[in-house]
DNA sequence: TCTTAATATGAACAAGTGTTCAAATGAACG
DNA sequence: CGTTCATTTGAACACTTGTTCATATTAAGA
């Protein structure tokens, strides 16, 4: 009988048809899933994680970050660009310096959850 | 005088020396930062976000996922491998089927925080 | 044991990413 | 203005990543 069913690509799916419907009904759209992946992608590099951790402690200029990270200002700037694009950081100019800080508190909570997962 | 200072690569750093020290003192180690980045990297793909969202609603076998995602079982399996490696999902075998589910509740909370950031 | 279904794995390739180097802004100051 | 310093940007390159295709596994039935 499962042979006649239009959903018979996989036998096992027949075991939870109601589950599948619920999953599909409550699934965010393609766009939202992509936005989420892009957010995580911005967080998926050690250098950027390092930068965000530093900024979670204090507002810092690029040259402060170059010393903390021990990297070229060019490399740091490229990564800050990524973080800016994901709205994870904001900045203000003060003379020749540009000071960066976390955009909002969500980022910090995100890190706390991630930390809890890493510890185990 | 800042010219004689050993920390004079950047003038501005002198403005918050105490901040810098605090940042460096409270910074997690290289290993932890890498682990965090790796965790986010596992979440940084739309297909994997899609899978995790589905699994957050119900325990599902690979063939269920192939239909939800409309992808080949090979592609799905490759991504599940990544999620397994990051301990984001666990699985149990039942006959010919392998059922996957979220490894713990942290993942769900992580997504909630991420969702809040995406909405703005 | 032979077949079939579900899942996993390996190789290969295109597409994407992070760093470096060189060059370009932008702002202060003589 | 011209110089200097902090930061940004663009091009180039090595390296990584996600998919596809073909080939294993693994389990259930005949």
């Amino acid at each position: 009988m499962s042979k006649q069913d239009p959903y018979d690509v996989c036998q096992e799916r027949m075991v939870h048809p109601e589950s599948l419907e619920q999953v599909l009904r409550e699934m965010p759209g393609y766009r939202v899933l992509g936005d989420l992946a892009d957010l995580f992608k911005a967080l998926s590099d050690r250098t950027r994680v390092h930068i965000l951790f530093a900024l979670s402690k204090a507002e810092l200029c690029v040259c402060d970050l170059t010393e903390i990270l021990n990297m070229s200002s060019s490399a740091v700037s490229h990564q800050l660009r990524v973080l800016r694009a994901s709205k994870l950081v904001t900045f203000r100019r003060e003379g020749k310096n540009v000071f960066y800080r976390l955009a909002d508190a969500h980022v910090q909570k995100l890190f706390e959850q991630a930390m809890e997962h890493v510890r185990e």
Side-chain angles (χ1 to χ4, degrees), chain A:
Chain A
M1 45 179 67
S2 72
K3 290 290 178 189
Q4 278 101 293
D5 196 290
Y7 301 93
D8 66 351
V9 182
C10 165
Q11 305 258 24
E12 201 52 52
R13 192 177 337 100
M14 296 287 85
V15 178
H16 326 283
E18 69 296 333
S19 292
L20 263 208
E21 280 167 26
Q22 188 209 354
V23 168
L24 288 168
R25 202 179 329 112
E26 299 180 15
M27 183 64 62
Y30 190 78
R31 178 69 163 282
V32 175
L33 293 172
D35 288 348
L36 272 171
D38 287 344
L39 169 61
F40 287 125
K41 195 171 296 182
L43 297 165
S44 70
D45 175 77
R46 188 188 352 236
T47 298
R48 292 196 291 272
V49 168
H50 206 156
I51 290 174
L52 291 172
F53 248 104
L55 295 179
S56 76
K57 304 297 181 188
E59 184 185 51
L60 298 166
C61 70
V62 179
C63 62
D64 288 330
L65 288 169
T66 63
E67 172 153 327
I68 292 172
L69 302 170
N70 198 31
M71 288 176 66
S72 73
S73 60
S74 175
V76 172
S77 195
H78 275 298
Q79 301 298 6
L80 285 169
R81 186 168 160 59
V82 175
L83 295 174
R84 254 162 27 211
S86 302
K87 300 188 187 304
L88 288 165
V89 302
T90 53
F91 61 99
R92 69 183 171 85
R93 184 175 268 280
E94 187 177 310
K96 283 184 288 190
N97 295 108
V98 177
F99 286 85
Y100 283 84
R101 56 186 157 77
L102 295 191
D104 57 55
H106 291 142
V107 190
Q108 213 136 355
K109 290 192 177 180
L110 213 57
F111 269 85
E112 286 166 19
Q113 285 297 327
M115 274 295 227
E116 284 187 34
H117 182 84
V118 167
R119 288 194 265 255
E120 100 250 356

